[in-house]
Amino acid sequence: MSAVPPMVVAPAAAPTAQAPRATASPRRRWPLGALLAVAVLIVLGAFLPALLKSPFYLGMLINAAILGIAAVALGFLAHQCGLVMFGVAGFSGGGAYLFAIAVMQFRWNVLGAAAFALLAASVLSALVGALIVRARPLPFAMLTLALAQMLNSVVKITQYRDVTGGDDGLPLNFAGSFFGLTQAQLARPESFWPVAWLALCGVMLLAWIIGRSRTGQVLRAIRANEERMRFSGFDTYWPRVFAFTVTGFIASVAGVLTALHSAFASPELLDFVTGGNALVAMLVGGAGTVAGPVLGAVLYVIGQDQFGASGHLELLTGIGVVVVIVAFPEGAMGFIRNTFRKWFKTP
Amino acid sequence: MSFIRIAGLHAGYGKSLILRNIELEVDEGEAVAVVGKNGAGKSTLLMSFFGGTTIRRGSIEAGGVALQHRPGYLAAKQGVSASPQGRLILPHLSVRENLLLGAASGRKGHWTLDKVYALFPVLQERHDRMGTALSGGQQQMLAVGRALLANPRVLLLDEPSEGLSPVLVDDLARVFNQIRAAGTGLLMVEQHLSLVRRVSQRFVVMAKGEIIARGRSEDIDSEQHRAALAF
Amino acid sequence: MDFSQLLSLPQLANALALASLLTILSSGLALIFGLRDVMNFGHGALYMLGAYLAYSVSGALGFWAALVIVPLLLAVVGVVFEYGVLRPLRKRSHMDLALVTVGIALIVGQIVIKFWGTAPLSVSAPESLAGSVSLFGQPYPAYRVFLIFVGFSTCAALAVWLKWTRSGMHVRAVSSQPEVARMMGVNTDRLGLLVVCLGTGFAGLAGVLAGPYLSVDPGMGATILITCLIVVVVGGLGSIGGAIAAAVVYGFIQVIGTVLSPTLAVLAPYLLLFFVLLWRPQGFGRGRVA
């Protein structure tokens, strides 16, 4: 048992080249009713500010959503590939900085800058992934950590201050509107919430769809036994590069959202401590489901609110990590899932 | 009572079960051979002494002390040492260091570094070479010498003749008989039937993880046992 | 570019001082990895704990007492680490253990803050080392010379132990092929405990030595951890000699590189790490302690 969640594989052997569908675990056909209910929930969720007026709590939920997005990215990679990224901050922070540079240096409008940031981050993820995805889990984790730290250090180099803002970070001024919202509006929790919420739902959907697809099955089979898959004729490299790219993309969404909302890009975003928060959220929530990391993010943000001032947050985080790894490797969600096993089956 | 007693042993690796219901005894001063085809579980049997397998049921005792579910280094302390399959000489240690490693259990007795050098003079000549910078036959001597330095009461040998020329196998047989004459028991996994006949008094045949036949080594050529070996 | 300034003795000595601290820390990390197969992400936190303990112990009993007591205290922490964490979790994956050590790093960090607060502390060098010595005609802080001396002699002692003693040989054997060593009767549990305590003790030693040289603040653990990880990996996991060499190279890159090209100095260690980890895409093989 491991904190990188065990996958559910049917008793028959790993998928053969002919019929992966037949031997992989059965995909639950979601009844139309349930799908419609989810769609309605997503739409309704965007209107939360109508119910919840407090900017403080909305702000907290926005933080939870953004953290959740980063955690979903981590969880996706962990579940599909069995790889843990210590340096997710590099991709989320990187997304923020790419957006910042596009806005401040290239002087693009907000929509273009956001699109650029996401695209560039995805391309860079693909390149990095192509290099590192074959590493064993621990070296892989360290490589991502090194990458994040490297970006962190580069951004702080005084020579590049004009572009990156150096130690102090880069305040942003962006023109134009983001789907009808101006910079001022984006800064307000009530108006930003729909953006964050829909982005969260979007990435969860993306992760879920890929997880259920054939690519997802292949990825998990590779995770179980890479050699066997290779000998069975599957390409074990490109699917993983793809998964890594998706992960980097999702993480960069979190970063772009942060930049949009706070109109600021700071080196803390690239600090591995920040990345650590998302990692903790994923571990505590459990990577076995798409929702697990989000649950973890919510718990984390609540914890931050309760304990942030007293400094106990880090202590609790540390204890939480140890407890989760030792006793609840599948995280809170996994625990819930195991308790109500028949209601939750993973793709 | 025999020094080594294996009773009802069921063991394997992880989730797989390889050995089933092994019953075997080896006493000091006697040599028992384990024969059988590849994959029969012979090496698994030897590895079970050193915590290398998951033991599901049964027991392995050396001198009355249970070895199952105990740390692997206990066996050497109790007087069971081994020359494992593939010899497993440590490449980053010198020949001398490899030998001294065998004395890690701290058991005192007849065998000292000098005595081992006397038995295998070539090891003394090459004592400061790296352990794997030796020929196959020399590595086998190193493995045996290393195991002897634990002053074992029973010595386990896994395919000692593997990859060796007939002349070297002859030398080995002589050395093994010498060791046995000095009072040490031998449990030897071997495919080389002439070695089996020359060194051991009795043998067991293993197939698919079970012992399917036993007999006296002098009978090992008879029809019956040939057939059992072809299993 | 004034090369004579670049390669001046003080610059070289600075590089060596930094390297010296790193070698002690990295040797400990390499030992723990080589023998217990655990990448201890809490090593930086232990170093920090050592520095803070040294602050208090020096305050009460003086620097020299701290130099002896703190590593011993950290060795005790090593015992707790071995029995409380490493033994119970020995069947878990590398990743799980690494994550647990991350959790421990956070916990230790908070304990430090709880007892000593968040403000940076200053630790001064002992009287006898507070002045300067003349290094080939140029004045140079005596403490740094001491640091260089202690650092490299510790490593020399470690190397001697590994190469020429029985237990050192056993450590080398276990780090390269633990199953064979166990078969030969090496008590790997006891040896593992010894090595872990040595590793944590070294972290404590580095912490004591760092006090008067670098700053003592709650971030010091995290900062040096990354560097340490890079040094250990580039040096060849589990290889003490490699870690020492890598630490020296790192020291030079930092000190000299900052003058030459800050960008390169910053990037070089990470690029080196990348390169080394990718060169062996199968990643960490069993390190050999040598």
Side-chain angles (χ1 to χ4, degrees), chain B residues 4-13 18-26 32-35 40-53 55 59-60 67 80 82 85 156 158 187-189 204-206 209-211 214:
Chain B
I4 291 200
R5 301 205 325 147
I6 304 177
L9 186 68
H10 290 67
Y13 299 103
I18 297 190
L19 300 174
R20 281 164 233 275
N21 206 24
I22 304 291
E23 302 266 346
L24 186 60
E25 291 185 14
V26 182
V32 178
V34 178
V35 301
K42 310 184 303 257
S43 293
T44 311
L45 178 60
L46 260 46
M47 285 303 104
S48 298
F49 280 84
F50 304 103
T53 59
I55 295 181
S59 65
I60 302 181
L67 294 181
V80 179
Q85 187 173 39
L156 309 183
D158 200 339
L187 179 57
M188 179 172 70
V189 168
V204 299
V205 183
M206 278 187 72
E210 300 186 41
I211 295 182
R214 301 168 192 263

Side-chain angles (χ1 to χ4, degrees), chain A residues 5 30 101 104 115 120 155 190 228 235 281 315 336-337:
Chain A
W30 281 60
I101 292 175
M104 299 302 281
V155 144
E190 318 83 75
R228 189 192 234 160
D235 183 342
L315 183 63
I336 295 172
R337 208 157 48 100

Side-chain angles (χ1 to χ4, degrees), chain B residues 109-120:
Chain B
H110 169 253
W111 294 105
T112 63
L113 192 60
D114 291 325
K115 292 268 173 46
V116 170
Y117 278 151
L119 188 60
F120 301 120

